Amino acid sequence: MCGRTCLTLDPDQVLCACKYQNSSVDKETPEWRAEFNLGRRYEASYNIAPTDITPVVVSAAHFSDQEDQKCARTVMPMMWGMIPFWHKGDYRKHGLTTNNCRLEHLMDSKLYRGPFKRGQRCVVLCEGFYEWQTAGPAKKPSERETYLIFVPQESDVKIYDKTTWTPSNVKLLRMAGLFDVWEDECGDKMYSYSIITFQSSKIMDWMHYRMPAILETEQQMNDWLDFRRVSDSEALATLRPAKSLEWHRVTKLVNNSRNKSEECNKPIELAAKPAKPPMNKTMMAWLNVRKKREEEIKAEQSEPSDEEDEVGAMKRKTSPDASPVGSPSKRPRFRDFKKEAQKRSCDSSESEVKSAKR
């Protein structure tokens, strides 16, 4: 399964990272074909989610019949999540989850069978993809550990640190996909794609039971893209589990697709701790008023008034317990109150008896 990716290169850098060996001796740079896509544009991001626009590689033969374009490549921005061709209305409201395409059901799918038969095969580019560990003991989604998976790099290249690599020496992760073209009521086109996935091999089954179809070699990429030379069955045969991958655990920042921070793809031990969100102004004002009031009450309780001082002084002078003047009065007790009540009751009874005798 693949639900988030990371690609921080601008269009020119993407083309530099996608240079390929054609029939000539020197490497060729693919063409960037900017489609309208209903006004949507590709934006580099540390946290790319479905419905975002990302660059994908396709065969240039889709747009030209010239002989020299058979093996040429074109990079196009497309939306992640194929739009069903039968959908009418807002392209964002078709109600299907199409960011991934299961290889096992590809030929039985009403959505994917047509694009595959028409040779609309593509390669999705990224520096790495994020995966949540769902294998093992069940956990709540918010408690699952998240990892960035990427292809092995040169020894001095750290995929999470752009100061250690350039577009010319970084190795992008390439995933096999299918694309289609959808038209709205006005005839405007939107290119969209889905990433092909299959059951995880041993390299990833400890993390998740599904994994994307990663193209590790240039030959795999050529065979997948060349729809005129390579038949459907041969193309499917090129899709096999990756043999070499690397990963590191990342923070939970990536859980929210609105977080685009460069901390998203860093190892969890190197990522900066997220700053606490600023407190609401209304709440802050209320807390300040409450704190001030509590301080005032505390001050009033610790500093008795002048009247209380005078009453306290009189009580100390006339204290019946013979305590020295100036000493603090004893704390009244219930038994003293009870004795006083009984004494008043006896005095009252004696007065009534005397009155009766008279």
Side-chain angles (χ1 to χ4, degrees), residues 40-51:
R40 301 283 303 278
R41 294 288 184 270
Y42 159 65
E43 295 181 5
S45 174
Y46 288 91
N47 192 4
I48 296 173
T51 72

Side-chain angles (χ1 to χ4, degrees), residues 347-358:
D347 294 341
S348 176
S349 299
E350 290 177 359
S351 299
E352 291 177 359
V353 171
K354 291 179 180 179
S355 298
K357 288 180 177 180
R358 286 196 296 266

Side-chain angles (χ1 to χ4, degrees), residues 25-44:
V25 177
D26 297 330
K27 286 188 174 183
E28 293 189 22
T29 301
E31 174 195 2
W32 181 275
R33 184 183 177 91
E35 291 291 336
F36 175 60
N37 281 332
L38 302 180
R40 301 283 303 278
R41 294 288 184 270
Y42 159 65
E43 295 181 5

Side-chain angles (χ1 to χ4, degrees), residues 61-62 64-66 70 121 225-231:
H62 286 291
S64 175
D65 293 328
Q66 296 180 11
K70 284 185 177 181
R121 310 194 289 256
L225 291 176
D226 196 344
F227 64 97
R228 289 184 174 174
R229 177 181 61 87
V230 181
S231 66

Side-chain angles (χ1 to χ4, degrees), residues 245-275:
L245 291 174
E246 295 183 1
W247 53 81
H248 58 248
R249 187 182 171 192
V250 297
T251 68
K252 294 181 180 179
L253 281 173
V254 73
N255 290 13
N256 189 334
S257 61
R258 290 174 293 182
N259 291 331
K260 307 296 184 181
S261 167
E262 61 181 8
E263 304 297 322
C264 286
N265 72 339
K266 288 184 178 179
I268 191 169
E269 62 271 14
L270 299 180
K273 293 182 179 180

Side-chain angles (χ1 to χ4, degrees), residues 211-358:
M211 66 183 297
I214 298 171
L215 304 173
E216 295 183 285
T217 67
E218 280 294 314
Q219 187 61 49
Q220 280 182 286
M221 191 166 175
N222 288 334
D223 291 345
W224 180 250
L225 291 176
D226 196 344
F227 64 97
R228 289 184 174 174
R229 177 181 61 87
V230 181
S231 66
D232 294 347
S233 58
E234 291 173 332
L236 291 176
T238 66
L239 305 183
R240 51 183 179 269
K243 296 179 180 179
S244 181
L245 291 174
E246 295 183 1
W247 53 81
H248 58 248
R249 187 182 171 192
V250 297
T251 68
K252 294 181 180 179
L253 281 173
V254 73
N255 290 13
N256 189 334
S257 61
R258 290 174 293 182
N259 291 331
K260 307 296 184 181
S261 167
E262 61 181 8
E263 304 297 322
C264 286
N265 72 339
K266 288 184 178 179
I268 191 169
E269 62 271 14
L270 299 180
K273 293 182 179 180
K276 292 183 179 180
M279 188 176 293
N280 182 279
K281 292 183 178 180
T282 304
M283 176 64 73
M284 179 66 76
W286 179 81
L287 288 175
N288 288 336
V289 172
R290 179 178 176 180
K291 184 177 180 181
K292 185 177 180 181
R293 180 56 183 158
E294 289 177 348
E295 291 176 352
E296 291 176 352
I297 293 174
K298 188 176 180 179
E300 291 175 358
Q301 292 176 345
S302 61
E303 297 179 3
S305 63
D306 294 340
E307 294 180 0
E308 290 176 340
D309 289 341
E310 293 177 0
V311 172
M314 292 176 64
K315 287 183 176 180
R316 285 194 296 271
K317 290 179 181 179
T318 59
S319 177
D321 59 0
S323 60
V325 177
S327 64
S329 58
K330 291 184 177 180
R331 182 179 178 184
R333 298 182 178 181
F334 178 72
R335 63 186 183 187
D336 297 332
F337 171 78
K338 188 176 180 180
K339 289 179 180 179
E340 186 66 25
Q342 290 175 346
K343 184 178 179 181
R344 286 198 299 271
S345 177
C346 291
D347 294 341
S348 176
S349 299
E350 290 177 359
S351 299
E352 291 177 359
V353 171
K354 291 179 180 179
S355 298
K357 288 180 177 180
R358 286 196 296 266

